[in-house]
Amino acid sequence: MSKIRENYLKNGYVIKRNYLSTQDINDLRNFCINKKFEDKEIFEYELIKKYFFNPNFFKIFKEILNCENLIYFSDSSINVHKTIEKVPSGFHVDSRNENYNFDEEYPIVRIGVYLENIKDFSGGIKVKPGSHQYYCITKITQAIKTIYQEKILKKNRNFKMKLFDKNIQPDLNLGDLIIWNMRLHHSGASWRYKFNKLISLHPIIDKLMPKFLKIPPQFKNNRTAIFFAFANGDLKNNQNIDNYIARKLAQKKKINNIIELKENFAKNNVLFLN
């Protein structure tokens, strides 16, 4: 087993170091800020393909998921928020309509590309290492309903939960990529503090802290990031994959040349569904 997969299975996330240079980040940031994307498939843009449509990029996912084939289903986005305050925050998971079998590896991952310095400034991501192995409580009413269904009605022995756990802000340098299991509990728009840059508080506490204690983002405006998601393509009839993809395919994206795009994905052993 590779070290990157071992760390992924243990922590629910891994960091790919030095994937992009400072100039790459600057080029992508300017592109993202000055382009209107709406509901278009971002892999049709030449600059996105330049950095992310290549065997080395897809190899990252194949190694982490321990597979030879991937599935892509247009679950990608370019997020430009005017300020850090406009970015949604609060611990959540990206998995949807899953079977809550926490003894089974969730076979879909997301990658985040942050186009600014989030090591020394605010605006990055918080994660709870190892939290992909248990249920995430977001809304109390929904949690009560889910826990009742899984523990009482279904008697699901593989349903696990934990009330308290430590969160951190991963040590991400400019140009690093972070890849996480979609069950991982994480939050966007994290704050760093002048009295301790490494401390990571709960998002609720972040909102209550006075602004003069906070380190601002590197840029006052346009907090920018790119996200992609891929699934393990070696698995057949996997309930979690089928449920998630069905949900995403209901949200059609605009694609100008779908035949060519599918052929290019196939050359990299990636099945493109749309």
Side-chain angles (χ1 to χ4, degrees):
M1 183 187 299
S2 69
K3 191 67 176 177
I4 191 171
R5 174 158 170 81
E6 184 179 344
N7 288 336
Y8 168 77
L9 291 176
K10 177 183 177 181
N11 298 315
Y13 76 96
V14 289
I15 296 172
K16 179 68 175 178
R17 300 291 184 187
N18 303 314
Y19 183 82
L20 297 168
S21 70
T22 301
Q23 186 59 54
D24 297 336
I25 293 289
N26 291 337
D27 291 346
L28 282 165
R29 180 177 171 82
N30 290 331
F31 168 76
C32 293
I33 291 172
N34 294 304
K35 197 83 174 176
K36 293 190 179 298
F37 297 98
E38 299 173 349
D39 294 323
K40 296 179 182 178
E41 169 52 56
I42 67 174
F43 269 117
E44 286 201 305
Y45 293 101
E46 290 303 318
L47 197 64
I48 298 297
K49 285 194 288 188
K50 175 183 176 181
Y51 294 116
F52 306 111
F53 204 113
N54 59 72
N56 288 332
F57 183 67
F58 298 127
K59 182 182 177 182
I60 297 171
F61 298 94
K62 293 173 183 177
E63 184 175 4
I64 288 171
L65 290 169
N66 190 32
C67 62
E68 295 182 1
N69 301 281
L70 297 171
I71 304 174
Y72 176 68
F73 31 88
S74 281
D75 190 357
S76 55
S77 62
I78 293 175
N79 294 352
V80 181
H81 293 92
K82 186 169 179 58
T83 65
I84 184 176
E85 288 83 4
K86 298 292 184 182
V87 182
S89 63
F91 281 107
H92 65 282
V93 296
D94 294 335
S95 58
R96 296 291 184 272
N97 303 329
E98 63 161 298
N99 62 8
Y100 294 118
N101 180 357
F102 288 95
D103 285 342
E104 176 185 272
E105 179 182 344
Y106 194 81
I108 312 176
V109 296
R110 192 180 304 285
I111 189 166
V113 187
Y114 292 88
L115 303 180
E116 56 196 89
N117 182 346
I118 59 172
K119 181 177 183 179
D120 302 308
F121 299 89
S122 296
I125 182 174
K126 295 179 192 284
V127 301
K128 293 183 179 181
S131 59
H132 60 303
Q133 301 177 57
Y134 54 86
Y135 177 69
C136 180
I137 297 175
T138 51
K139 296 180 180 179
I140 296 298
T141 53
Q142 180 60 46
I144 293 173
K145 179 181 178 181
T146 300
I147 294 168
Y148 176 75
Q149 288 177 338
E150 296 299 322
K151 298 296 288 184
I152 306 301
L153 297 182
K154 297 181 181 179
K155 294 181 171 42
N156 181 358
R157 295 182 179 179
N158 297 318
F159 180 85
K160 301 173 183 178
M161 58 180 294
K162 199 173 183 181
L163 291 179
F164 303 103
D165 207 354
K166 177 183 177 182
N167 74 81
I168 65 169
Q169 296 189 53
D171 184 23
L172 279 169
N173 297 311
L174 195 66
D176 292 347
L177 310 179
I178 181 169
I179 307 99
W180 63 86
N181 184 298
M182 283 200 171
R183 275 183 179 151
L184 185 74
H185 305 192
H186 62 283
S187 174
S190 60
W191 288 98
R192 294 195 183 275
Y193 291 91
K194 296 174 182 178
F195 57 86
N196 187 337
K197 189 177 69 175
L198 300 181
I199 194 171
S200 186
L201 303 177
H202 193 282
I204 294 176
I205 300 177
D206 275 341
K207 292 177 181 178
L208 298 175
M209 294 292 281
K211 197 166 185 178
F212 71 86
L213 294 177
K214 298 176 178 178
I215 299 174
Q218 182 183 12
F219 305 102
K220 183 178 180 180
N221 295 321
N222 298 319
R223 189 268 198 179
T224 308
I226 306 174
F227 301 97
F228 305 92
F230 291 87
N232 185 329
D234 289 354
L235 302 177
K236 305 301 179 186
N237 301 317
N238 182 277
Q239 180 184 357
N240 285 323
I241 293 178
D242 292 344
N243 288 349
Y244 191 92
I245 290 178
R247 177 178 170 272
K248 294 306 297 185
L249 292 186
Q251 306 165 6
K252 288 290 185 180
K253 287 194 174 180
K254 300 172 185 176
I255 303 176
N256 295 323
N257 197 338
I258 189 170
I259 295 177
E260 180 181 355
L261 199 56
K262 283 190 173 185
E263 289 175 349
N264 289 332
F265 269 117
K267 291 176 184 177
N268 292 277
N269 292 333
V270 181
L271 174 64
F272 178 31
L273 300 177
N274 183 274

